[in-house]
Amino acid sequence: MPLRISNQNARRLWLHSQALLTEPTGAFSQDDLLATIKGLGFVQLDTIRVVARAHDHILWSRNQNYREPMLGKALADHAHVFEHFTHDASVIPTEFYPYWQRQFQRMGKATSTGSWGTALPPKRERDRILKRVEDEGPLCSRDFPGAPKRKATWSRPPHKVVLDHFWYAGVLATSHRKGFTKFYDLAERVIPDEHRDFPHSDKAQINWLCTEALDRLGFGSEGTIQRFWEAANLAEVKSWTAVNKTLIPVEVETADGGYETAFAPANIEARLAELPSPSSRLRIVNPFDPVVRDRPRLAKLFGFDYRIEIFVPAAKRAFGYYVYPLLEGDRFVGRIEVVADRRAGKLLVKNLWGEPGVRASKTRTKKLDAELARLGRLVGAKEVEWNCPRPA
C-alpha cells in the first residue's frame, strides 16, 4: 500500500523544501544567496515593482537580511547565476548550465518557428546584429537603431526579436542589468569555462531535471514535476517515472480531505520524520513565489484559491491589481494589497482580507505589523500608512 502523507505534513514538507517553514534569520552573504537559489532551483524575474520586484521579494522572504543589489552582483560580478527561461524568465545557478542545453535547443527552435519565426528578420540582418555584440561587447536593445522611446505592451522591434531569439537559443546570455535593462553578450564570454563543458546526453539531462525537481517538491504528480522547470514535456516525465525504480508511490491528503497519488524521492520517510515545527511568523508572500506559483498545487494543499489580477480589468477584479498572500505558520490566512511610496518612505496598506474562518486577533495584527515593518526595511520605508481599516 502506498505511503500516506497527511495534509499537515504535506504542507509542511512543501514549505520546508522551499525554505518558508522556519525563521529566515541570520547573516546573508553572497555564498548564502547562491545556496538559497540552489535550494529553490531558480528564482523568477519580474519587472513589476509595487513594493519590491518579485525576485528580490522571493529572496528576502528566505532571509530578511537580503538586499536588492545582491542578486545583480551574483549575476554581473560573480557569474554565480545565469538568466534563462523555466516557466518564465528566471535566474538559475550557473553550475546547472550543463544540464540546460536541451532547454536552449527547445527554446531556440520554438523562437525560430511560428509567430516568432515570422517576426525574425532575414539571416543577414540577424548575423549583423550578432556581429555587433561580438565586436562591441554587452549591448542592450536601446543600443540599436529603431529602438522605440516608449515600448508598447508586448511589442518588440526586429533587433529585439533577434536578441531574444539568440538569448533563448543560448548563443547570447545576460551579462548584467542596469536597473532592469538587460545587456546581452556572447554566452562564451559570460559563462565561466568550467560550466561550458556539456558531457550530458539528452536522457541524462531529463533524469537530472526530474530528479532535481522532485527533490525540491518533496512529492508530486508527473504534471507537477513537469511544471517545476518546464524544460521537459509531460511524455518525457512519464517515461522517466516509468523506468525509475527508486521512486516511492505516495498518497497525499488534500485540503478537502481527499487523497491524490504522487511520487516521492527515496528518502521521503526520513524527510517527514525530520520535519521541524513551523514558525508562527506571518509572512507577506510574493505572487510569483515558488510556493504559490503552481496554483493547482496551492489549492490542493492549502485550500487557497489565488490568482494574480494584473491582467484583469479593474472592474472585474475580485481583489486588486497586485495582492499578496499572507502565510502564517503552515497555512494561508489572508491577502493584503500594499504598495511602496519609496520617495515618501512609506508602505501604504490599501486593503486586507482574511480567509474564511480566520479570525482577526490582536496577536495576528501584531504579527502583520512586524512583517510590514520588515518589508519596509527592504525598500527603505520607515512608516506604514493604513488606507483601509486596521484590524484591532
Side-chain angles (χ1 to χ4, degrees), residues 48 287-288 295 306-312 320-323:
I48 299 172
F288 298 103
R295 310 296 192 222
Y306 177 77
R307 299 291 183 273
I308 187 166
E309 298 182 290
I310 54 177
F311 300 119
V312 177
Y321 171 75
Y322 203 89
V323 172

Side-chain angles (χ1 to χ4, degrees), residues 147-195:
K149 292 182 179 179
R150 193 179 192 89
K151 186 178 76 172
T153 305
W154 307 120
S155 68
R156 287 168 300 169
H159 67 266
K160 175 64 171 168
V161 176
V162 173
L163 291 170
D164 284 341
H165 163 68
F166 283 131
W167 181 85
Y168 281 117
V171 177
L172 298 178
T174 308
S175 67
H176 64 288
R177 287 180 180 265
K178 289 183 180 178
F180 205 69
T181 300
K182 181 194 297 186
F183 283 76
Y184 302 80
D185 200 359
L186 298 179
E188 62 200 56
R189 295 200 292 233
V190 174
I191 306 300
D193 291 343
E194 63 266 29
H195 298 303

